[in-house]
Structures are given as structure tokens and as C-alpha cells.
Amino acid sequence: MTTAAELWTRLENLPRPTLGELFSADRDGGEGADEPGGADRVAMLSGRIELDDGGILFDWSKTHLDRAAIAAFEELAVAMDFAGMRAKLFGGEVVNPTEGRAADHATLRGTGDEAKVEEAMALIERMGMLVEAIHQGALGEVEHLIHIGIGGSALGPALGVDALSRDLSYCDVHVVSNIDGVALEQAFAACDPAKTLIAVASKTFTTIETMTNAESALKWLHDNGVSDPGGRVIALTANPEGAVEWGVDETRILPFQESVGGRYSIWSSIGFPIAMAVGMEDFRAFLAGARAVDAHFRDTDGAANLVLRAAFADLYYTRVRGCQTRAVFAYDERLGLFPDYLQQLEMESNGKRVTADMRPVDGPTAPITWGGVGTDAQHAVFQLLHQGTHLVPVDFIASIAPGDDLDPAHHRILLMNCFAQGAALMAGKAGEDPARNYPGDRPSATILCDDLDAGALGALIAFHEHRTFANAVLMGINPFDQFGVELGKAMAKAIEKGGEEFDASTDALLKTAGLAG
Ligand SMILES: O=P(O)(O)OC[C@H]1O[C@H](O)[C@H](O)[C@@H](O)[C@@H]1O
């Protein structure tokens, strides 16, 4: 069998036709003889995942993937035992060797090992009962929810609430993550304490930012005349004992499994604020959308697997073309937080320098994920995409159905701009002078939802979870640990404890800010 190293060498040495050449239907002669161009290329490199209601189109034709590259990546998937790793993921086996854990997030939406799915469904059922009881008034009048969490315990809830609760919201949700008290004060200013619940979301129930913010939120309730502040708290955690110890009543603890990673936990009770905002019916539709992607990812082989195909393109740009970043532009105001969410998912998962079996990696790992919303970004950062010296693969995400009720001109212009950018990046244009020259040949992929409803959002997120996993498997790394975040936390603790000396710069900063012991 060809080794991974040989396949990377083969990929590096493949001819590098431009996107224009790949699209020209009459390319003939040599190895490119059977390379489909034009509409055939679009047919080869785009496909849909069907959801309960509508579906999503994934068009990867404006990337440099061609038959030869795809064939090499398919062999790489075999060399890296992609099918075996995927079976382990869905079989609930250990796929996070440094922590000896499975990664059970797919079970939360009904995919995978039967016993684990059953356990997950029971927990979601329990969350649903609490959400519905609150909606029906079991905890009195509830107008606001302050959701306190950070990292994976905040980014998913913030995205889900922002994307889905615009037309109708059962409850006004504020997600607070930063230890900077300004964040919490902002939420306080928008809430009536007598009608506010506090969700404390922390997998470990030990994170200093979250626990400090939670204490301050309880104090705010108390200072504002709420007689039993503790009775207004819901805990979302994989450490229910910790929550009990902290003082939360067991009936208001919504647990989730230790084997669900923080950045993969939106489907668990960490999704409570989403369910509070949009109701359980939409939350279940959100899970169903993710389940449809699970099925596609689990049951499709080779490049026909749209998730795996996206990972092929990701790795082609990172490892063969040396791209250090990857940009995501949502042409949809509701997905304004999607780049932030993806940053944690992709960079915390795959920003690694050793393989799963503890050897140095044999090439660059996760690119830097960045992005924003269109059309805003066009007027701010697209200059660099069109004419800068960096090659940046771009994903465009849009919805055919509008999210607004205004004049249809708004949505038409939005979508036309989205498609125009992909076309312009690829085509380029010869200029009268170098400053007006657009080199073109710049890749993009387009993800087009029929509608951006709860199911589509679930599908989009699951697509990216699996895309991240597929990238990791093909690079031979473990995407499920995050030891890189620990050192800074330990140093902060040491500073708080005092009595320790650091480097001269840090010591001087501490002294200047009055923080030296
Ligand atoms: O949910 P928690 O235990 O409070 O953790 C919150 C976050 O903190 C950590 O530093 C990790 O880097 C994240 O992966 C995690 O999501």
C-alpha cells in the first residue's frame, strides 16, 4: 500500500491547472483528457444533503480539486484508515487517546451506539420537560435568561440563539462569557431581576470565569430583592456533583456526558438556552438536521462524501499550496457568530503539533479560521482576498429563502453579491496597470441552504464538526483534546497566588498594574 508520505509527495508533484483551465470544457490531451469541465465539473463537485425540510447544496467546483488530486486523497484516506476511525467515532470507541475517551456528540442527536443514544435521548427528554415546564410558568414569570458559560459552553448557545430566535422568541437570552464585568453588567442592564433565570453552563463546573460570573449574577438577584436567588439557577454540566456542591438543587441540574467535548456540546443540555428561546420543537429539528449529516458522513465513501471532500480541499490548500488561513463569509446576518463558533471548533481541535501517536506532525495543521458576514466584509477585507499576496480559500454560506420580510430586493442583492464574489475571485481580470489587475484563480466553496431554519443550522454545524474530524484523521492528529489552553490558565493561577517570579516583562507589567504581591 502507498504510504501517506508518498501520497503527500504525489499531491505536491501533481500538475496545477488554474481554475479557469479546470472549468474549460475543451481541455484535452495528456492526463487531463478525461477531466470534466464546465457544467460537468459542477456536477462532479457539488452535491446536496437532504434534510427533513429542504436541503443544503455544497458546491466545491471552484476549488482546485481535480480527478488526480481526489484520487490521491482517496488513497490517503485509505492509508490513514479513515473508514476505521469513522467507525470508531460512531461506535463509541476511544478516539481521544490522550484522555482515554470516546467522542459521543453524535449520540446526542440520535446517531451511534444504541445504549449511548438511549442515555442521551433520556437526558434531552429531561431537558425538554424542564424547558416546557418553565415556558408554562412553573418557575413564575420568566422573561429573561442570562446564560453564563465560556468557550464551548457559550459559543454554540450564542450562535444558536442569534441565528434562530429572530422572528419569535419565548425568552430573551443573554449569553455572557467574559470575566470582564462589563459583559455581565450589560446583561443586567437589559433584564428585570424578578423575571430572570440564570443558566450556569460549564462542563467541568470549575472554570474561573464562569463561576465568578455566576456568583456575581446571584448577588445581583439578591441585591435586587429576589428572595431565593439560588432557586433561579439552572446548571448545565457534566459534573452534577460539582453543581450540587456549589448549591444548585438537583431538580434544576441538567447533566450531560463526560465523553462529550466542550466544543461539541451544543446538542446537549448546553443547548438549553436555544431551547428556551425557540422551544423544544425547533430544538428537535436542530438535532434532526445534524442527524441527516451524520447519516451522509457515516454511509458515504470516498469523495462522494461531501464532508470528506471538503476536508480534501482544506488539506490541499493547507499542505500543498501552503495557505495559512481559511476564511468563512456568511451572506446571512443570522450567521454573524458562525465564524467565531468555527474558530473554536477548528482551531482548538486541530491546532496541534503532534500526531495521535505522539510523533511530530509531518506538515502544517489547522489553518487560522477567520471570516465575517457579507456584504459587510466586501467593503472591509475583500481587497486582500482579490489582490493581496496571500492565497486564502474562502467558504461562502447563504440561504435561498430570505430571513427578512422586507422588499425582496434586499435578499436578491445579498445573494447576487455572494455569487459575484466567488466568480470574481476565480475569474480575475487583466488590468490596464498592475494596480488594477486581478490575478484570479482564487478558490472558494459555496454552501447554499434552501432555508436557514433550525434543521439547516444543525446540519451546518454537524457538517463542520465532521469536516474537522476528517481533517484530523487525514493528518493523523487527535482533534478531541486541548492541552494547549492549560499553561496560560496555570500561570494566571500562579500570579493570583503570588510569591512567584516571572520574566522581567511580566513582573514589570504586574507591578505597574498594582498586581504584584
Ligand atoms: O465548560 P467548561 O468546563 O467551563 O469549559 C469551558 C471551555 O474552557 C476551556 O478552557 C476549553 O479550552 C474549552 O474547550 C472549554 O469549552
Side-chain angles (χ1 to χ4, degrees):
M1 192 176 72
T2 322
T3 65
E6 287 163 346
L7 288 161
W8 284 117
T9 307
R10 190 204 294 175
L11 278 159
E12 264 157 41
N13 293 328
L14 284 177
R16 297 186 183 184
T18 63
L19 292 171
E21 285 163 350
L22 287 168
F23 265 87
S24 61
D26 54 359
R27 210 155 73 89
D28 58 40
E31 289 176 52
D34 61 351
E35 186 71 38
D40 291 339
R41 176 169 174 82
V42 178
M44 175 174 91
L45 285 169
S46 57
R48 268 175 72 88
I49 295 182
E50 298 301 333
L51 308 176
D52 287 350
D53 195 4
I56 305 181
L57 174 78
F58 296 86
D59 177 2
W60 252 250
S61 62
K62 292 196 197 77
T63 69
H64 291 86
L65 288 181
D66 61 5
R67 285 208 162 147
I70 288 172
F73 274 116
E74 284 182 332
E75 278 189 58
L76 180 71
V78 174
M80 298 306 290
D81 191 24
F82 169 74
M85 287 301 290
R86 180 180 58 181
K88 278 190 178 173
L89 174 76
F90 288 119
E93 291 179 46
V94 171
V95 286
N96 174 0
T98 50
E99 297 176 299
R101 277 188 203 148
D104 285 330
H105 46 283
T107 65
L108 302 168
R109 52 228 189 195
T111 309
D113 176 74
E114 228 174 278
K116 289 188 175 191
V117 166
E118 210 173 295
E119 184 197 352
M121 292 301 125
L123 291 175
I124 286 164
E125 209 48 50
R126 192 166 154 212
M127 171 174 110
M129 280 162 62
L130 184 61
V131 168
E132 272 156 11
I134 295 171
H135 284 158
Q136 283 156 18
L139 295 182
E141 204 179 336
V142 173
E143 264 181 28
H144 314 279
L145 174 72
I146 300 182
H147 174 93
I148 295 174
I150 199 164
S153 295
L155 288 161
L159 167 66
V161 169
D162 192 46
L164 300 178
S165 71
R166 292 189 177 227
D167 320 337
L168 162 85
S169 186
Y170 286 94
C171 177
D172 164 45
V173 178
H174 299 261
V175 176
V176 175
S177 50
N178 202 345
I179 185 67
D180 184 343
V182 171
L184 198 52
E185 276 183 352
Q186 216 168 304
F188 293 161
C191 298
D192 172 354
K195 297 176 186 168
T196 301
L197 291 184
I198 309 290
V200 182
S202 174
K203 180 177 173 185
T204 54
F205 228 74
T206 57
T207 305
I208 186 162
E209 291 91 335
T210 300
M211 302 326 295
T212 308
N213 278 332
E215 295 283 359
S216 294
L218 283 191
K219 184 171 180 307
W220 171 72
L221 289 180
H222 176 264
D223 292 350
N224 286 279
V226 174
S227 55
D228 174 23
R232 311 297 285 168
V233 173
I234 319 283
L236 321 170
T237 185
N239 176 13
E241 299 78 22
V244 170
E245 219 169 284
W246 192 78
V248 188
D249 189 87
E250 274 183 64
T251 55
R252 281 177 283 98
I253 297 176
L254 297 174
F256 66 95
Q257 304 85 326
E258 186 63 43
S259 53
V260 170
R263 57 191 170 276
Y264 300 87
S265 63
I266 187 173
W267 325 99
S268 73
S269 60
I270 293 293
F272 171 78
I274 304 175
M276 281 292 293
V278 303
M280 276 312 283
E281 199 182 320
D282 271 13
F283 190 75
R284 288 186 206 286
F286 173 68
L287 300 182
R291 193 158 61 239
V293 172
D294 290 337
H296 172 85
F297 181 62
R298 185 193 54 201
D299 301 336
T300 315
D301 286 320
N305 186 320
L306 298 170
V307 181
L308 187 58
R309 182 191 292 172
F312 291 170
D314 294 339
L315 289 165
Y316 178 76
Y317 289 115
T318 313
R319 292 207 156 183
V320 179
R321 295 284 182 113
C323 300
Q324 295 193 333
T325 83
R326 169 179 117 68
V328 182
F329 294 100
Y331 274 65
D332 197 305
E333 197 66 17
R334 294 166 294 180
L335 291 178
L337 297 178
F338 199 58
D340 291 13
Y341 181 84
L342 283 186
Q343 283 187 325
Q344 186 196 17
L345 177 62
E346 300 185 350
M347 292 162 73
E348 195 170 72
S349 295
N350 288 349
K352 306 284 169 65
R353 54 191 301 113
V354 291
T355 61
D357 51 7
M358 298 295 150
R359 284 172 297 123
V361 290
D362 55 3
T365 57
I368 295 153
T369 307
W370 64 285
V373 287
T375 58
D376 297 15
Q378 286 176 208
H379 302 275
V381 296
F382 274 39
Q383 163 67 36
L384 179 148
L385 298 180
H386 287 285
Q387 288 189 316
T389 52
H390 297 277
L391 181 68
V392 183
V394 174
D395 278 8
F396 293 107
I397 308 179
S399 162
I400 299 174
D404 67 285
D405 295 323
L406 301 184
D407 185 324
H410 285 270
H411 200 64
R412 211 174 47 237
I413 296 170
L414 179 73
L415 283 188
M416 288 191 312
N417 267 280
C418 175
F419 303 150
Q421 289 299 327
L425 284 167
M426 176 162 91
K429 190 172 184 281
E432 300 143 28
D433 59 58
R436 289 173 176 78
N437 189 54
Y438 297 78
D441 195 31
R442 300 191 166 207
S444 66
T446 304
I447 299 177
L448 187 58
C449 307
D450 287 352
D451 193 3
L452 185 68
D453 54 13
L457 182 69
L460 273 180
I461 296 176
F463 179 89
H464 286 87
E465 284 180 351
H466 292 320
R467 178 180 183 172
T468 303
F469 171 76
N471 267 280
V473 171
L474 298 180
M475 292 186 287
I477 63 176
N478 172 8
F480 297 117
D481 62 12
Q482 61 284 319
F483 294 109
V485 302
E486 297 305 327
L487 178 61
K489 286 187 202 170
M491 293 268 235
K493 269 199 188 141
I495 289 175
E496 205 187 352
K497 206 163 139 238
E500 208 174 308
E501 280 196 7
F502 300 90
D503 58 273
S505 159
T506 307
D507 286 339
L509 288 168
L510 288 168
K511 210 167 154 208
T512 308
L515 294 172

